[in-house]
Amino acid sequence: MLHTVNKSPFERNSLDTCLRLSKEGSAILLIEDGVIAAIKGTEQSAKIEGAVANRPVYVLGPDVKARGLSEDQVIDGVKVVDYAGFVSLAEEHGTHNAWL
Amino acid sequence: MAEYEFETEGVKKTFTFMNRKAPYGTVYALEVLETVLISAAFEQHANIVFCDDGVYQLKAGHDTADIGMKNFSPTFGIIEMEKEDADEDEDIDMNWRIIIEKESMEARGLTADDFKVEVEVLSAAELADIIDASDCVIGG
């Protein structure tokens, strides 16, 4: 299953709930304001740093760039994907759960 | 106008509906509820899950008279009746579960007695298995 999170962890609890209610090993893709969770050195970084230990975590590059952030600020172990990568992930995983 | 044919005869999937928002503040709760009712029309299996502030959707005693909005919580009574019909009628192949996440309920000082319908209270770990095993997850 592919889980997407599109809200900043500073604004909503979507990432927390996603991490609590998803299985270890299932993939997470951070999109839109959700990409903020993928950035190093914030008060929220520990959540994704912990998640990469037990599952694949991806972040959508265009959404990172759009917010004035750069790919080298992305937490180690988080893979940056483009739109084609997003499509591939959706295709690979079949079932998708959007945490709004 | 083009005519479409849908080959849905006999198609049966398990849908998990995630209710995560409190009622009335946004339209999420009502939209998910409508989707649940549509799934009933097609006799699909449904896990109707309430977590985070979504647990307040099932709280007994909503009184919306003073906010000028329709109190949609009686509809959950219909969902409970629908579920009971499905459980008892052998001709209806539809399995519905109304699930509250224990962690969200307890974090808000609620107990299973606070809800207007009978619910299954499941831990986050038990719920994660149910979400993962479903064919389709509708977030809201």
Side-chain angles (χ1 to χ4, degrees):
Chain A
M1 177 168 296
L2 175 67
H3 298 269
T4 54
V5 176
N6 74 338
K7 297 295 188 299
S8 163
F10 288 99
E11 195 203 350
R12 302 270 186 95
N13 64 357
S14 307
L15 177 66
D16 292 319
T17 308
C18 170
L19 292 171
R20 191 172 76 241
L21 294 182
S22 60
K23 305 273 284 178
E24 284 192 5
S26 61
I28 296 183
L29 169 62
L30 302 166
I31 61 171
E32 301 168 16
D33 290 347
V35 302
I36 291 164
I39 301 301
K40 281 185 226 179
T42 78
E43 282 183 9
Q44 299 286 338
S45 302
K47 290 171 185 168
I48 290 300
E49 285 162 1
V52 292
N54 60 37
R55 63 173 78 222
V57 180
Y58 305 88
V59 65
L60 193 62
D63 281 331
V64 173
K65 271 173 60 185
R67 286 160 181 77
L69 301 164
S70 72
E71 290 183 11
D72 42 347
Q73 289 174 273
V74 168
I75 291 166
D76 296 337
V78 176
K79 296 173 205 76
V80 180
V81 295
D82 56 12
Y83 289 113
F86 188 166
V87 173
S88 304
L89 283 172
E91 194 188 15
E92 251 171 62
H93 290 86
T95 312
H96 169 225
N97 186 4
W99 297 91
L100 305 172
Chain B
M1 200 176 116
E3 279 195 28
Y4 295 97
E5 270 192 38
F6 297 101
E7 289 184 21
T8 54
E9 187 75 40
V11 174
K12 187 73 71 174
K13 304 232 177 203
T14 298
F15 288 77
T16 295
F17 297 95
M18 299 299 300
N19 291 284
R20 293 184 46 238
K21 308 285 199 289
Y24 313 116
T26 64
V27 78
Y28 284 96
L30 196 54
E31 293 285 333
V32 175
L33 180 56
E34 285 194 356
T35 322
V36 171
L37 296 172
I38 292 164
S39 81
F42 291 93
E43 291 193 12
Q44 299 296 303
H45 302 311
N47 300 313
I48 306 156
V49 175
F50 299 85
C51 65
D52 294 332
D53 282 345
V55 300
Y56 290 115
Q57 293 180 32
L58 283 191
K59 175 79 178 59
H62 289 186
D63 180 354
T64 61
D66 294 344
I67 64 167
M69 290 176 80
K70 187 180 162 66
N71 176 0
F72 59 81
S73 70
T75 313
F76 292 114
I78 296 171
I79 282 184
E80 191 181 38
M81 280 162 52
E82 192 86 45
K83 172 181 156 48
E84 281 165 9
D85 285 351
D87 288 347
E88 285 159 19
D89 189 338
E90 285 179 7
D91 293 333
I92 305 176
D93 174 23
M94 189 173 87
N95 181 30
W96 274 19
R97 299 173 71 175
I98 304 174
I99 298 165
I100 294 269
E101 189 214 357
K102 187 167 181 280
E103 284 80 349
S104 295
M105 177 185 84
E106 289 179 351
R108 287 159 184 78
L110 299 170
T111 70
D113 298 333
D114 290 314
F115 303 115
K116 62 174 294 144
V117 298
E118 204 171 305
V119 295
E120 281 181 68
V121 178
L122 299 183
S123 69
E126 291 169 314
L127 187 48
D129 286 333
I130 286 171
I131 294 167
D132 200 65
S134 49
D135 297 308
C136 186
V137 185
I138 311 282

